[in-house]
Amino acid sequence: MKKRKSKTNPVLRAVVTEGMRKTLADIAIKAHLTPDGEVDRFLIAEFAFVIGLGAEVAIAMQDEQRARRLHSALRTLLGMSVNGGRWQAAQSARMYELACEANKLAIDNVDLALPRYVGARNLSDAIAAGKARMDDVAGVEIYAEAV
């Protein structure tokens, strides 16, 4: 089977890949050091960016199981944001695990991820600014047709 050639500029691909890896490492450390209930909108926003981007790629790939998992985590992060931007330390391990999955998915499918980058960043910026709302991300109703 012949491997598809990426349409993405190899330099852009390398820059994006390295940036995503650095973001993941930074938030992993910060998540495990942030006390429960501490307001940290930036931490929540960066997790939302990584997981949201992965969720969008999963949807584009029609990988429903992965999309549901990542979407659920994204809604949890949005809930933290709406509830005052307070970090839930009990979520650290789960969010890191799902962020790793989302990050790998985005890097492995950079041609699908790049067009979705701006949307994920816009949601992340809204969370960081304390302006995100729960309806910024669809609820479980988006899966009603799949049932």
Side-chain angles (χ1 to χ4, degrees), residues 54-144:
E56 287 295 323
V57 171
I59 289 168
M61 295 176 68
Q62 298 180 337
D63 184 344
E64 186 178 338
Q65 280 187 318
R66 182 176 282 162
R68 282 180 184 246
R69 236 183 357 264
L70 296 173
H71 179 255
S72 173
L74 186 58
R75 294 278 299 177
T76 298
L77 292 162
L78 200 53
M80 288 182 209
S81 175
V82 169
N83 290 321
R86 287 175 176 64
W87 179 245
Q88 295 173 9
Q91 295 286 345
S92 294
R94 176 175 176 259
M95 290 302 158
Y96 176 68
E97 177 183 310
L98 290 169
C100 287
E101 179 180 351
N103 189 53
K104 181 174 180 358
L105 185 64
I107 288 171
D108 289 350
N109 299 281
V110 73
D111 290 335
L112 291 174
L114 282 176
R116 291 158 175 85
Y117 184 96
V118 172
R121 184 50 65 198
N122 287 343
L123 176 62
S124 176
D125 290 347
I127 290 170
K131 296 182 179 183
R133 300 180 328 258
M134 287 305 292
D135 63 358
D136 287 340
V137 173
V140 294
E141 69 276 1
I142 64 172
Y143 302 107

Side-chain angles (χ1 to χ4, degrees), residues 6-82:
S6 175
K7 297 175 187 169
T8 304
N9 176 307
V11 174
L12 176 61
R13 179 187 203 84
V15 168
V16 169
T17 299
E18 185 55 32
M20 293 287 290
R21 284 190 178 117
K22 183 180 179 335
T23 296
L24 186 61
D26 290 347
I27 61 176
I29 293 166
K30 193 169 188 190
H32 288 89
L33 296 176
T34 301
D36 188 53
E38 183 170 311
V39 174
D40 195 332
R41 291 187 179 282
F42 181 76
L43 175 61
I44 296 166
E46 287 303 289
F47 265 116
F49 169 72
V50 173
I51 291 173
L53 184 59
E56 287 295 323
V57 171
I59 289 168
M61 295 176 68
Q62 298 180 337
D63 184 344
E64 186 178 338
Q65 280 187 318
R66 182 176 282 162
R68 282 180 184 246
R69 236 183 357 264
L70 296 173
H71 179 255
S72 173
L74 186 58
R75 294 278 299 177
T76 298
L77 292 162
L78 200 53
M80 288 182 209
S81 175
V82 169

